[in-house]
Amino acid sequence: MSAPNKSYDPVEVEALKPENVDLARDEALTAVAAAADLEALRAVKIAHAGDRSPLALANREIGALPPQAKAEAGKRVGQARGAVKQALATRQQELEAERDERVLVEETVDVTLPADRAPAGARHPLTTLSERIEDVFVAMGYEVAEGPEAEAEWFNFDALNIHADHPARSPQDTFFVRAPGAVREHDGAAAATPAATAPDAGAPQPGSGSAAGDSGIVLRTHTSPVQIRSLLARELPVYVICPGRVFRTDELDATHTPVFTQVELLAVDEGLTMADLKGTLDHMVQSLFGPGMRTRLRPDHFPFTEPSAEMDMVCYVCHGDSVGNPERPCRTCSSEGWIELGGCGMVNPRVLVACGVDPERYSGFAFGFGIERMLMFRHNVEDMRDMVEGDVRFTRPFGMEI
Amino acid sequence: MRAPLSWLREYVDLPAGETGRDVAARLTDAGLEVETVEQLGEGLRGPLVVGEVLAIEELTDFKKPIRYCELDVGEANGTGERQRVICGATNFEVGDKIVAVLPGAVLPGGFEISARKTYGRVSEGMICSAAELGMGEDHSGIIVLPPEHAPGTDAVELLELVDEVLDIAVNPDRGYCLSMRGIARETAIAYGLPLRDPALIDAPTPNEHGYPVEVLDPKACDRFTARTVTGVRPEARSPLWLQRRLQKGGMRPVSLPVDITNYVMLELGAPLHAYDRHRLVGPITVRRAESGERMTTLEGVERTLHAEDLVIADASGPIGLAGVMGGAHSEVVDPVRDPETGEWHGSTEIVVEAAHFDAVTIARSARRHRMSSEASKRWERGVDPAAAAAAAQRTVDLLVLLAGARAEAGVTEVVTPGGPRTIRIGADHPDRVAGVAYGKDTVVRRLQQVGCDVYGQDELTVTVPSWRPDLTDPNDLAEEVIRLEGYGNLPATLPRVPEGRGLTERQRTHRRVGRALAGAGYVEALNYPFLAESVLDQLRLPGDDPCRRTVTLVNPLSDEEPALRPLLLPGLLAALRRNENRGSQSQGGLALFETGLVFRRTGTEPGIEPLSVNARPTEQAIAALDAALPEQPRHVAVVLSGDREPAGWWGRGRPADWADAVEAARTVAAEVGVALTVSQGRYGPWHPGRCARLTVGEELVGFAGELHPGVLKTLGLPARTSAMELDLDALTEAAAGPVRAPRVSGYPVATQDVALVVEESVPAAGVAEALRAGAGELLESVRLFDVFTGEQVGAGRKSLAYALRFRAPDRTLTAEEASAARDQAVAAAVGRTGAELRGA
């Protein structure tokens, strides 16, 4: 039984009663758990962990307690507040994570929308294929040599043992540059050249060398003049590759273009042989078309090489399997098994002499082929006009490298 | 050259089962280019027989003449009774021998013959034309056979209808292969079999009694043989075997004397000519034509001769353009039958010419007169001079045999002796060329096979055969050995290439420029360099512009475009228009670039002097050649139209404009490594107010900006098309070399913005330059971030807002330092450009 004015019992302080502290704590935890968003949680935090929250108020009462009671009450309230604080923090994290999640969901876009805000450019495949071939030889130690496109006949023909009467030197094959000051009208060719005054012979005269334009200058018909320039300008031995544009008077059609791209190679050194030529060609086609590729030489005739050969490479699509096999025809090589690449041979010693190279001591080999044709069969181009017209739809897919 | 396998077997005993394809493979290995192996009479099956026309009933109820014929086909139809066939041809009469195909037969092309009703009658087969039997393209009527063949004779064999023909493309160095003799020689070598050389026939010794011939130009004609035959029967026709060989060889039978000369040409490779002796006036002379001299060649064209033409002439004037074509007036006459008397009239006395002409002389004449004949084709590639006498003899023999002629005893031969041609080579020379140890025995054997005489041990003296004018140098002999040993047997080795230096700086630059422009969205277009000079007018280039010194072609592809481009722009703009027309613009904008050579006369080029090829030219001679060439700098250009940044779901696009073109120039300059100065310019095709003049130092290197609306209209290009063109070579030469690394300070930056008001005409670049100059070393960068015009700044003026960033390498700048630097910068701008500091 209790008596009035009995000594003050802290346990009797209403707010600090264990059941009340527990109640305040439980209410707080329930409220925290119920907070649906960060906004609600903030309110819960003020209500249950703020300065005026029941537990905060209870905490204030502790100071008034006798020392012996302080510890126990402090422990009780402290644990309760700790639990609430912990719960708040946990819930805060949960809700923040939820919010972050939601924001990301809300930021969802249709990633299939076209993203071509900066249309890609591209280099022409003839440029990049040419560079790729250059790189094969540069890696072997060759250097890239260049020369003019409007070229002296001496470089384009004479030094290459192409005599004045060779059919290639006729206007049917070669573009002749008009001499400065020559008559310009259509009577031109004949009137400008004394050698061609025969009334029955309107065509410029082959056989008198430069008579056609009398300028002695042509649009180079191959990059071989660069070989000549290299032999004249460089120290021996010479190992060069000569890429570039060349010109012949063909009309443009699906398989011909009057302006095309060649890569030629020249090696002049002591002791070079046809076997070296063969090995070099094999190496090239392996580098460009993959291991196992090889070439075949067939005798041919060119004035600037002797012996001369036509070079073929194994069809890199069917590897020859289509030959005599009508079940599996090959469009790339027309089921021939071989693809014609170009011409090659041992540098004619007469060419070396014209360049001041001693043919008793030095020999050389050379080859040349058209990049357009290689682009056609390597990349399945069906019509050469596509390479000429500059249509961006053709060029774009080739990108920067080939 | 078309070589029938059956004919080839006459000279080489090929194994019986050897097919045309087998022979083709061997010849290909030996270096002949066999283009096709034609299968004559493929799928042909008899009965196909000789028939005699017994009766003809003309059917007149049809739009074209139709004949119902009764034929005697011997026992070929199994009954010996008359065979009745419908025929649509009319070139035959009763009594003629024809070729009849009977039911059950299959003609080439799988055409099966059966008895069938046509034109109201039953046709038991048909009468054949040459085309139907695969004998040629002659559709003019049915074949009328010589009368000596009996009805019922198998025509498949008689007409040699089943055969294989090798069609061989003969390279210029292998003239001897334009004959059966030459191809037989290659075949014999390829098979290791002996050759029966058809030129090895006896000819009588020349004497004084032949037809008189005088050769006035022995260099152009070192041999002239003339033979005469008399008593030629005009009614004699070429026998079937002769006709068939000509047809298979690709020639059309004409008349017996002409067919014989053609036959001998195919056989021996020696072109011949036959003259009607009664039409010759006095001795034959061989001489150069007089300039302006005229003659009518045998196809009836009157030609004016050139002083370099070699002619065969008699007292009446030229009777033949030597080696190219005979004259109309002396040729043998085609036999004609007099309809009244039934007698045949034609040449009865024939002079046969077998000569040897200089290849170059004939080639020039043929080209000069644009006449390529079977003869000229052979002369140009070289004909065996030693075969002339044999060819004449063979012709005479055939005329005697087939035309009943008598050979006259007179034999004319005018010969300018030429010594045998010898070449000395080391016995190991072919080995050294090939990189293969063939050994001396092989070398000697191979050279002997091609017809050389070979003497010596380590050093060989090789006498080349008369039919191989192409063999002149040691390497020619090496090629003979190597090709016969087989190119396919060459090993593959790699030379030891000395270390190279890689691409040159210039070459790397070209690649970089291409990549940078492609990276910036430009697509490379490689255009032809041909253009019409009127394009330069359309581009409004001044009359005295250096680009007007165009290089032109004598023989352009199109007379409309005789000039070579002095600028890349015309070609690039054409490519832009082509893309535009194809609707590529609808995908956004178009941006193209090109790098390539442009051509300009220097105006001071000297003429080119002839230069020897027997030794290295002097440095002066090389320099003189180079000086004669046009200038050919490498340019780079871009064109762009439409949207530079396309519109899309993200919003509006940004149209391409002058600034993109200028930026492209900066892109190029950055790759090259030069500082490009941009100033206001005016030039040709560009919009006069939107043209940037591009310089490096003092040197003008190009222009960029929007193109003139008038130019765009003329060229049919979209409005606001912009363009840039730079002399890439000039840029490359000015390249500063490797990048010098900047010092990067870790101290804080101090940023100061200034707005300066200047006259509209003051270029922003000048203001920035002044700021840069005034700000001193503390300035890190100047960036123009706004341009403003409006009432606030006053009419005719603009406000330029710059962000200046200052930083010191060694300390944090104080506000005072930064302000002081800014004030100096502004002061410089005020001083140089008349700028006023806005808000000051």
Side-chain angles (χ1 to χ4, degrees):
Chain A
M1 300 296 114
S2 65
N5 292 328
K6 220 174 160 194
S7 61
Y8 178 76
D9 183 353
V11 177
E12 298 304 311
V13 175
E14 200 64 16
L16 289 173
K17 282 186 177 164
E19 58 270 32
N20 286 347
V21 170
D22 289 349
L23 181 67
R25 180 197 66 199
D26 292 346
E27 277 175 1
L29 292 179
T30 307
V32 166
D37 56 27
L38 289 166
E39 193 59 34
L41 189 65
R42 196 173 303 124
V44 170
K45 189 175 179 181
I46 292 165
H48 294 280
D51 288 348
R52 305 200 52 79
S53 64
L55 286 172
L57 293 175
N59 198 45
R60 278 193 214 151
E61 302 288 347
I62 294 173
L65 293 183
Q68 64 273 31
K70 270 186 184 167
E72 193 203 333
K75 190 179 172 195
R76 187 184 308 135
V77 175
Q79 281 174 344
R81 295 184 80 189
V84 171
K85 192 176 172 195
Q86 177 64 40
L88 275 168
T90 305
R91 186 65 184 148
Q92 176 82 20
Q93 264 180 10
E94 285 170 10
L95 289 172
E96 276 179 5
E98 267 176 38
R99 180 203 56 194
D100 289 352
E101 196 69 20
R102 194 173 55 251
V103 165
L104 292 179
V105 168
E106 284 165 2
E107 284 179 357
T108 299
V109 294
D110 177 0
V111 296
T112 69
L113 286 172
D116 51 350
R117 273 181 276 209
R123 305 175 72 207
H124 199 281
L126 289 174
T127 308
T128 48
L129 183 57
S130 182
E131 287 179 1
R132 186 169 175 134
I133 297 163
E134 291 164 25
D135 289 346
V136 168
F137 289 101
V138 168
M140 292 175 80
Y142 287 75
E143 293 183 1
V144 178
E146 294 161 299
E149 291 174 3
E151 180 60 285
E153 286 190 65
W154 191 84
F155 285 111
N156 194 72
F157 292 131
D158 299 86
L160 288 155
N161 193 36
I162 301 172
H163 293 290
D165 282 292
H166 194 278
R169 298 184 72 157
S170 82
Q172 278 75 47
D173 286 313
T174 300
F175 289 110
F176 287 86
V177 168
R178 192 179 295 280
V183 180
R184 289 290 304 278
E185 302 316 318
H186 287 299
D187 59 353
T193 53
T197 45
D200 194 27
Q205 290 303 290
S208 35
S210 61
D214 229 2
S215 69
I217 298 168
V218 296
L219 294 188
R220 66 180 180 193
T221 57
H222 41 196
T223 55
S224 310
V226 184
Q227 297 188 19
I228 302 300
R229 290 179 173 276
S230 300
L231 280 177
L232 289 173
R234 290 166 183 254
E235 300 271 318
L236 290 164
V238 165
Y239 287 87
V240 291
I241 178 147
C242 317
R245 262 188 157 192
V246 301
F247 308 83
R248 291 183 198 170
T249 58
D250 291 319
E251 294 285 346
L252 174 65
D253 64 25
T255 53
H256 296 87
T257 158
V259 181
F260 60 103
T261 321
Q262 257 198 344
V263 169
E264 290 194 350
L265 174 142
L266 171 74
V268 173
D269 202 343
E270 288 175 275
L272 292 182
T273 67
M274 251 180 125
D276 292 330
L277 164 63
K278 175 83 168 72
T280 304
L281 288 171
D282 283 350
H283 176 80
M284 177 184 76
V285 295
Q286 283 161 16
S287 303
L288 292 174
F289 294 92
M293 297 301 298
R294 66 205 154 81
T295 55
R296 167 178 84 171
L297 300 183
R298 289 177 289 122
D300 203 338
H301 173 75
F302 307 109
F304 31 86
T305 48
E306 189 72 39
S308 302
E310 196 72 28
M311 55 187 184
D312 303 333
M313 58 175 265
V314 167
C315 176
Y316 78 105
V317 174
C318 73
H319 294 271
D321 292 344
S322 65
V323 180
N325 189 354
E327 309 274 295
R328 298 177 56 195
C330 178
R331 283 178 59 199
T332 304
C333 65
S334 310
S335 299
E336 299 271 340
W338 295 93
I339 300 173
E340 207 174 304
L341 269 188
C344 62
M346 301 304 290
V347 179
N348 192 320
R350 289 172 186 239
V351 174
L352 297 179
V353 168
C355 298
V357 176
D358 178 6
E360 298 294 322
R361 184 173 164 199
Y362 289 96
S363 60
F365 60 82
F367 63 75
F369 55 89
I371 304 293
E372 278 78 2
R373 254 185 58 73
M374 185 177 280
L375 187 67
M376 285 182 100
F377 66 73
R378 192 173 187 261
H379 296 271
N380 211 16
V381 182
E382 289 190 352
D383 194 324
M384 219 173 251
R385 284 171 285 218
D386 289 340
M387 303 175 196
V388 169
E389 290 173 342
D391 193 313
V392 296
R393 295 168 301 170
F394 172 78
T395 305
R396 272 204 182 111
F398 289 98
M400 294 284 196
E401 298 280 341
I402 199 163
Chain B
M1 177 72 196
R2 293 168 53 86
L5 188 59
S6 59
W7 196 351
L8 208 48
R9 284 180 182 277
E10 198 169 292
Y11 312 118
V12 187
D13 291 328
L14 289 169
E18 211 67 0
T19 66
R21 289 189 209 284
D22 297 334
V23 177
R26 299 269 192 130
L27 291 179
T28 302
D29 285 344
L32 292 184
E33 191 182 345
V34 184
E35 294 192 314
T36 56
V37 180
E38 216 172 289
Q39 305 291 320
L40 297 186
E42 198 172 24
L44 177 67
R45 203 176 69 207
L48 185 76
V49 297
V50 175
E52 182 174 347
V53 183
L54 300 176
I56 297 173
E57 181 190 350
E58 306 280 352
L59 307 183
T60 51
D61 298 342
F62 305 100
K63 281 181 196 160
K64 53 179 186 172
I66 297 295
R67 291 174 158 191
Y68 194 47
C69 307
E70 293 184 14
L71 307 176
D72 174 1
V73 295
E75 297 296 319
N77 54 6
T79 63
E81 289 183 8
R82 293 186 171 198
Q83 196 81 9
R84 292 173 176 80
V85 298
I86 286 287
C87 184
T90 56
N91 65 322
F92 61 98
E93 52 198 72
V94 170
D96 277 349
K97 299 282 176 55
I98 49 77
V99 182
V101 61
L102 307 184
V106 181
L107 291 184
F111 186 40
E112 290 181 24
I113 304 298
S114 57
R116 64 192 185 99
K117 198 163 179 193
T118 176
Y119 296 103
R121 308 294 165 102
V122 174
S123 183
E124 301 162 337
M126 60 188 250
I127 303 176
C128 297
S129 71
E132 283 157 352
L133 296 178
M135 288 168 55
E137 295 305 306
D138 187 359
H139 291 269
S140 63
I142 55 110
I143 302 168
V144 177
L145 296 170
E148 61 266 24
H149 304 289
T153 307
D154 178 23
V156 175
E157 203 170 311
L158 181 68
L159 296 174
E160 298 173 25
L161 290 178
V162 180
D163 203 349
E164 295 184 84
V165 180
L166 281 67
D167 195 349
I168 298 170
V170 176
N171 277 328
D173 61 332
R174 298 193 174 254
Y176 69 103
C177 283
L178 286 171
S179 69
M180 291 306 299
R181 179 195 184 205
I183 290 175
R185 183 182 306 283
E186 288 295 331
T187 307
I189 299 172
Y191 281 88
L193 292 169
L195 168 76
R196 277 189 294 280
D197 185 347
L200 286 181
I201 50 176
D202 289 332
T205 320
N207 54 48
E208 300 297 313
H209 313 298
Y211 198 91
V213 172
E214 193 182 5
V215 175
L216 299 178
D217 193 333
K219 274 188 123 170
C221 173
D222 59 9
R223 193 179 287 255
F224 197 109
T225 298
R227 300 287 301 273
T228 308
V229 295
T230 57
V232 176
R233 291 186 1 244
E235 73 276 20
R237 293 177 57 188
S238 298
L240 283 176
W241 66 263
L242 176 55
Q243 293 192 31
R244 290 299 290 138
R245 285 196 168 173
L246 290 177
Q247 285 171 340
K248 290 175 187 177
M251 301 191 81
R252 202 170 48 85
V254 180
S255 66
L256 180 57
V258 172
D259 290 353
I260 288 172
T261 55
N262 282 337
Y263 179 81
V264 174
M265 177 178 71
L266 291 182
E267 185 180 53
L268 301 178
L272 297 142
H273 195 70
Y275 301 94
D276 185 326
R277 179 154 81 172
H278 295 302
R279 303 173 79 183
L280 291 175
V281 186
I284 290 174
T285 53
V286 183
R287 58 169 171 85
R288 299 283 175 171
E290 286 157 33
S291 187
E293 204 171 5
R294 302 176 88 85
M295 76 169 284
T296 304
T297 43
L298 53 78
E299 84 283 32
V301 177
E302 187 176 27
R303 298 178 184 273
T304 305
L305 301 178
H306 186 274
E308 279 186 26
D309 288 331
L310 187 71
V311 296
I312 315 297
D314 66 4
S316 71
I319 56 173
L321 188 53
V324 183
M325 201 173 275
H329 126 102
S330 63
E331 67 171 321
V332 291
V333 183
D334 283 348
V336 183
R337 193 175 182 184
D338 188 326
E340 304 280 307
T341 64
E343 271 179 43
W344 287 86
H345 298 283
S347 300
T348 56
E349 299 192 359
I350 292 175
V351 176
V352 176
E353 162 202 313
H356 185 258
F357 301 118
D358 168 52
V360 169
T361 303
I362 305 305
R364 288 186 186 174
S365 277
R367 246 173 276 161
R368 190 178 293 126
H369 296 285
R370 297 191 182 135
M371 280 195 290
S372 178
S373 62
E374 288 288 333
S376 70
K377 218 166 74 185
R378 286 174 170 79
W379 289 119
E380 286 174 26
R381 289 170 170 79
V383 169
D384 182 0
Q393 183 61 40
R394 180 80 167 123
T395 308
V396 168
D397 288 347
L398 287 170
L399 284 167
V400 169
L401 180 72
L402 303 174
R406 287 178 306 278
E408 282 200 347
V411 176
T412 305
E413 197 168 286
V414 181
V415 176
T416 308
R421 291 179 301 111
T422 60
I423 305 168
R424 295 167 67 83
I425 61 166
D428 64 345
H429 184 69
D431 298 21
R432 285 191 286 117
V433 171
V436 177
Y438 296 124
K440 185 194 162 206
D441 290 350
T442 302
V443 169
V444 171
R445 179 170 55 87
R446 289 304 191 182
L447 291 176
Q448 285 171 339
Q449 278 180 331
V450 300
C452 296
D453 286 330
V454 186
Y455 299 98
Q457 292 301 320
D458 292 345
E459 174 93 359
L460 302 178
T461 302
V462 181
T463 306
V464 303
S466 56
W467 59 85
R468 293 298 302 269
D470 60 303
L471 301 181
T472 56
D473 293 9
N475 271 32
D476 298 331
L477 300 180
E479 180 178 76
E480 293 301 304
V481 174
I482 298 167
R483 79 175 170 94
L484 294 177
E485 285 296 302
Y487 276 15
N489 296 320
L490 286 169
T493 55
L494 279 174
R496 247 177 45 86
V497 185
E499 303 71 25
R501 289 161 293 189
L503 296 179
T504 62
E505 200 46 55
R506 182 185 139 91
Q507 289 159 352
R508 285 178 201 284
T509 300
H510 291 165
R511 290 189 178 193
R512 270 202 312 274
V513 166
R515 287 203 194 101
L517 288 173
Y522 293 89
V523 177
E524 186 173 18
L526 298 173
N527 298 294
Y528 285 177
F530 311 121
L531 54 77
E533 285 168 298
S534 58
V535 172
L536 306 181
D537 299 329
Q538 293 174 335
L539 293 182
R540 306 191 179 202
L541 295 178
D544 59 350
D545 192 274
C547 288
R548 295 284 189 170
R549 292 199 305 265
T550 51
V551 177
T552 56
L553 297 175
V554 174
N555 54 332
L557 273 189
S558 156
D559 287 339
E560 309 294 309
E561 300 189 326
L564 298 181
R565 63 187 182 193
L567 289 171
L568 297 177
L569 274 190
L572 209 44
L573 289 170
L576 184 76
R577 187 169 56 232
R578 201 151 44 234
N579 275 287
E580 184 81 19
N581 291 343
R582 292 177 179 184
S584 296
Q585 175 92 317
S586 62
Q587 322 223 330
L590 278 167
L592 303 177
F593 84 97
E594 179 170 16
T595 66
L597 303 194
V598 299
F599 305 83
R600 242 174 259 172
R601 283 188 292 111
T602 58
T604 58
E605 51 275 270
I608 287 183
E609 300 297 325
L611 201 52
S612 158
V613 292
N614 298 325
R616 181 195 165 93
T618 61
E619 295 305 322
Q620 293 91 318
I622 296 171
L625 282 184
D626 283 337
L629 297 179
E631 293 176 332
Q632 300 170 60
R634 181 172 289 269
H635 276 203
V636 56
V638 308
V639 295
L640 64 171
S641 68
D643 282 342
R644 179 77 170 117
E645 291 161 17
W649 54 267
W650 53 81
R652 298 173 55 155
R654 184 178 70 70
D657 62 16
W658 62 270
D660 293 307
V662 176
E663 183 56 23
R666 289 192 203 278
T667 300
V668 171
E671 293 299 333
V672 175
V674 292
L676 198 62
T677 306
V678 178
S679 58
Q680 205 75 24
R682 259 184 110 119
Y683 181 64
W686 276 276
H687 186 309
R690 299 182 172 186
C691 173
R693 187 173 185 274
L694 308 169
T695 46
V696 172
E698 294 302 305
E699 191 182 2
L700 174 65
V701 292
F703 291 91
E706 185 180 314
L707 294 180
H708 193 294
V711 171
L712 294 177
K713 199 171 169 208
T714 311
L715 296 178
L717 290 166
R720 305 293 177 200
T721 296
S722 296
M724 172 283 278
E725 177 148 0
L726 280 171
D727 182 340
L728 189 53
D729 278 351
L731 278 190
T732 311
E733 269 161 39
V739 167
R740 297 175 63 85
R743 296 278 169 273
V744 179
S745 165
Y747 289 91
V749 67
T751 306
Q752 300 265 344
D753 291 351
V754 295
L756 297 169
V757 177
V758 291
E759 296 295 321
E760 281 276 22
S761 61
V762 174
V767 179
E769 193 44 50
L771 287 171
R772 214 169 273 127
E777 287 185 350
L778 293 177
L779 185 74
E780 188 174 81
S781 69
V782 179
R783 179 173 170 77
L784 177 70
F785 65 88
D786 194 24
V787 181
F788 177 76
T789 53
E791 281 179 20
Q792 294 94 320
V793 294
R797 288 154 67 84
K798 62 187 172 188
S799 166
L800 305 172
Y802 291 91
L804 309 179
R805 289 162 62 87
F806 298 98
R807 202 182 323 241
D810 53 354
R811 64 188 190 280
T812 302
L813 287 181
T814 63
E816 290 72 27
E817 281 177 303
S819 298
R822 180 203 60 194
D823 291 345
Q824 286 165 10
V826 169
V830 168
R832 290 194 192 184
T833 68
E836 288 173 21
L837 186 61
R838 203 169 162 217

